[in-house]
């Protein structure tokens, strides 16, 4: 059974009471004797099936998640970002569930997709059988009104949330960026719960939606000039699901993207603060918090551990998807150089960025491929290579597990030296 269906079937009947928690004529539901999420009359109508079977199932899942997490109500969201788009990770069961659900409901707020398992236009011939089912999956999401953006960086492609906006996003690196760099509020949703939130336009009000749950829990004092990908890899391993506060780092948006992605991969970090840089860093007291130093020696030791001596068959860049500035940085390094007989180059970005980076794309494509809509982790990379090299802390963690790769970590410039 699909996780969302399993959760839905656990839900009891809703028994209305006029108690004003949500601020608009609410009613409430119960599971057994336990009070659960208070629902408005409109929400209760949806739960009762008056807006159709799909919306009722979506509402049941949100209420169940709320009950599990002691949420008092649902809260409106500005957007949903839905993972579970690659046929590689969804399989036939996932495809059938999404196709079936697409006949029953549509989203009511801006909703976008995480990367699919392949470039939806250019590189289908690499995986012809896979392609057919992948396109069916994206089509089913599209039928529900979800944009085919297929990126883990929705904030770079026209969906940049504002401070205090409530969201239901599911891609862990995007969740981290939205919470940390932008001060928006989202829990790390599962793919099904983000989809159901998009259909209802609301999510359960708990966790990182509440200001009091956004306070830092550990202070990391960091030596100068440590690459964000390695810092994130290192700290994520130590901090688990706690909220870190960084002291001593200067970091731009691309660095925050990389830092957050790595911490979400080796740990379960959905929010971090950076002194003087992130919007909520000054909102909380740091008194009494544990303090941990991150030194150059710690990071040199980590780099050494992640650097295999093998030769990579390919260099894979773009985890998370590259921004326009990162595309230009790669192009600048490669421009007017002579290609070497080195590994293949695969660069992953959103279709939106690819279409707006014509100069960078033209330069990079003299050396390799610029691939949109997908990434090295959720595509069947294992069918092409056994050993790859990357500069991404998240990809270093996930490629061995999800794409069966031996992985070499190196910084961007060192990797590009191998090919030009
Ligand atoms: Fe994005 Fe794929 Fe990395 S979804 S964060 S490029 S694993």
């Amino acid at each position: 059974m699909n996780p969302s269906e399993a959760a839905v079937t656990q839900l009891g009947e809703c028994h209305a009471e006029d108690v004003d928690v949500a601020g608009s004529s609410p009613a409430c539901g119960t599971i057994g004797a336990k009070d659960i999420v208070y629902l408005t009359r409109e929400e209760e109508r949806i739960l009762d099936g008056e807006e159709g079977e799909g919306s009722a199932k979506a509402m049941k899942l949100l209420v169940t998640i709320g009950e599990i997490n002691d949420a008092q109500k649902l809260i409106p969201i500005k957007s949903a970002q839905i993972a579970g788009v690659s046929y590689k990770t969804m399989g036939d069961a996932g495809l059938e569930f999404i196709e079936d659900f697409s006949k029953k409901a549509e989203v009511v707020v801006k909703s976008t997709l995480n990367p699919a398992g392949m470039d939806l236009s250019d590189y289908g011939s690499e995986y012809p059988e896979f392609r057919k089912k992948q396109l069916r999956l994206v089509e089913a999401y599209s039928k529900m009104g979800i944009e085919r953006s297929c990126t883990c960086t929705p904030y770079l492609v026209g969906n940049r949330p504002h401070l205090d906006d409530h969201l239901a996003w599911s891609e862990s690196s995007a969740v981290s960026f939205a919470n940390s760099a932008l001060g928006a509020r989202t829990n790390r949703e599962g793919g099904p719960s983000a989809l159901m939130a998009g259909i209802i336009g609301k999510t359960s009000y708990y966790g990182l939606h509440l200001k009091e749950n956004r306070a830092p829990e550990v202070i990391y004092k960091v030596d100068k000039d440590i690459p964000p990908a390695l810092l994130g890899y290192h700290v994520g391993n130590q901090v688990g699901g706690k909220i870190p506060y960084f002291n001593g780092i200067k970091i731009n948006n691309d660095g925050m993207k990389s830092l957050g992605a790595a911490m979400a991969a080796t740990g379960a970090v959905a929010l971090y603060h950076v002194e003087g840089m992130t919007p909520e860093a000054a909102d909380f007291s740091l008194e009494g918090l544990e303090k941990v130093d991150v030194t150059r020696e710690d990071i040199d030791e980590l780099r050494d551990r992640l650097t295999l001596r093998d030769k990579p068959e390919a260099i894979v860049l773009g985890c998370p998807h590259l921004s326009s500035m990162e595309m230009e940085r790669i192009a600048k390094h490669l421009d007017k150089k002579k290609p070497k007989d080195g590994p293949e180059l695969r660069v992953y970005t959103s279709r939106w960025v690819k279409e707006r980076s014509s100069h960078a794309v033209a330069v990079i494509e003299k050396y390799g491929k610029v691939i949109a809509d997908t990434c090295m982790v959720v595509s069947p990379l294992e069918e092409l290579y056994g050993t790859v090299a990357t500069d991404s802390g998240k990809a270093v963690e996930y490629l061995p597990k999800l794409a069966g790769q031996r992985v070499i970590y190196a910084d961007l410039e060192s990797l590009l030296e191998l090919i030009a």
Side-chain angles (χ1 to χ4, degrees), residues 153-160 254 257 321-324 352-353:
T153 56
Y155 48 87
L156 296 178
V157 305
N159 185 15
R160 195 172 179 89
D254 288 332
K257 175 162 77 76
H321 275 171
L322 297 178
S323 67
S324 306
W352 196 96
V353 166

Side-chain angles (χ1 to χ4, degrees), residues 114-115 152 171 173 318-321 375-377 394:
N114 219 31
C152 50
E171 158 54 37
S173 66
C319 174
H321 275 171
C375 78
M376 64 284 265
V377 172
K394 177 169 177 175

Side-chain angles (χ1 to χ4, degrees), residues 303-321:
R303 186 187 280 109
D304 206 46
R305 198 154 41 84
L306 296 177
T307 305
L308 301 178
R309 307 301 161 207
D310 309 27
K311 276 197 174 162
E313 297 155 61
I315 294 168
V316 289
L317 305 173
C319 174
H321 275 171

Side-chain angles (χ1 to χ4, degrees), residues 85 159 161 196 210 233 242:
V85 185
N159 185 15
M196 303 307 159
L210 297 153
Y233 191 99
K242 288 186 183 166

Side-chain angles (χ1 to χ4, degrees), residues 35-357:
D35 284 342
I36 61 161
V37 181
Y38 285 87
L39 301 180
T40 65
R41 292 200 180 285
E42 176 62 15
E43 289 162 353
E44 193 182 48
R45 248 177 26 78
I46 296 171
L47 187 65
D48 287 344
E50 291 186 29
E51 295 293 325
E53 184 192 345
S55 297
K57 280 190 172 170
M59 182 62 87
K60 283 177 182 173
L61 179 64
L62 297 187
V63 171
T64 301
I65 290 170
E67 192 277 335
I68 291 165
N69 291 288
D70 291 329
Q72 290 191 322
K73 62 178 180 177
L74 304 183
I75 187 158
I77 55 167
K78 290 276 169 57
S79 65
Q81 194 266 350
I82 297 154
V85 185
S86 169
Y87 175 68
K88 173 178 164 176
T89 54
M90 291 292 276
D92 286 332
L95 171 60
E96 278 163 32
F97 173 75
I98 296 298
E99 282 190 328
D100 181 54
F101 210 82
S102 71
K103 297 174 193 141
K104 297 173 183 160
E106 286 183 9
V107 295
V108 298
V109 292
K110 185 176 185 70
S111 299
T112 62
L113 292 178
N114 219 31
M118 48 168 271
D119 188 306
L120 297 179
S121 60
D122 301 336
Y123 295 104
S125 57
E126 280 182 343
Y127 322 109
E129 276 313 303
F130 185 95
R131 176 180 173 81
K132 285 183 205 151
K133 290 184 172 175
Q134 180 62 75
L135 291 179
R136 272 173 56 192
L137 193 46
V138 171
E139 188 55 39
Y141 279 121
S142 179
K143 201 169 152 191
M144 287 188 268
I146 302 162
E147 293 173 20
R148 296 167 180 249
S149 50
C150 293
T151 182
C152 50
T153 56
Y155 48 87
L156 296 178
V157 305
N159 185 15
R160 195 172 179 89
H162 298 108
L163 185 68
D164 298 336
D165 281 355
H166 293 275
L167 318 170
W169 286 16
S170 53
E171 158 54 37
S172 63
S173 66
V175 165
S176 173
F177 191 91
N179 277 320
S180 312
L182 304 177
R185 300 187 187 190
T186 177
N187 289 317
R188 194 167 156 168
E189 300 274 357
S193 67
L195 172 60
M196 303 307 159
I199 286 165
I200 300 299
K202 296 179 181 177
T203 193
S204 301
Y205 189 51
Y206 72 96
L208 294 177
H209 290 284
L210 297 153
K211 185 77 177 179
E212 64 263 34
N213 294 335
R214 299 174 65 85
E217 294 169 289
V218 188
I219 299 172
Y220 282 90
K221 192 167 175 313
V222 183
D223 277 359
K224 272 190 184 153
D225 300 329
I226 289 180
L230 290 180
L231 177 61
Y233 191 99
H234 176 77
V235 171
N237 262 320
Q238 291 186 350
V239 79
K242 288 186 183 166
I243 300 173
Y245 178 99
F246 290 100
N247 181 285
I249 62 173
K250 294 266 174 278
I251 191 165
N252 62 14
N253 274 350
D254 288 332
M256 286 198 228
K257 175 162 77 76
S258 180
L259 173 69
M263 280 194 293
T266 58
V269 176
L271 164 66
Y272 62 89
H273 302 286
V274 181
E275 186 180 51
M277 307 216 80
T278 54
E280 295 176 278
D283 293 0
F284 303 96
S285 164
L286 303 178
E287 222 178 289
L289 294 186
E290 179 192 355
K291 289 185 185 148
V292 180
D293 288 331
V294 181
T295 64
R296 289 210 64 79
E297 291 71 40
D298 295 330
I299 299 302
D300 288 345
E301 188 273 322
L302 172 64
R303 186 187 280 109
D304 206 46
R305 198 154 41 84
L306 296 177
T307 305
L308 301 178
R309 307 301 161 207
D310 309 27
K311 276 197 174 162
E313 297 155 61
I315 294 168
V316 289
L317 305 173
C319 174
H321 275 171
L322 297 178
S323 67
S324 306
M325 267 176 62
E326 290 171 313
M327 293 282 288
E328 280 301 334
R329 185 175 159 200
I330 294 170
K332 193 170 166 201
H333 185 99
L334 295 176
D335 204 11
K336 301 193 177 71
K337 295 236 172 82
K338 252 181 107 175
K340 288 181 188 163
D341 188 20
E344 292 179 24
L345 173 65
R346 294 172 80 91
V347 171
Y348 296 88
T349 187
S350 61
R351 183 156 299 282
W352 196 96
V353 166
K354 184 179 178 184
E355 286 174 354
R356 286 159 182 78
S357 306

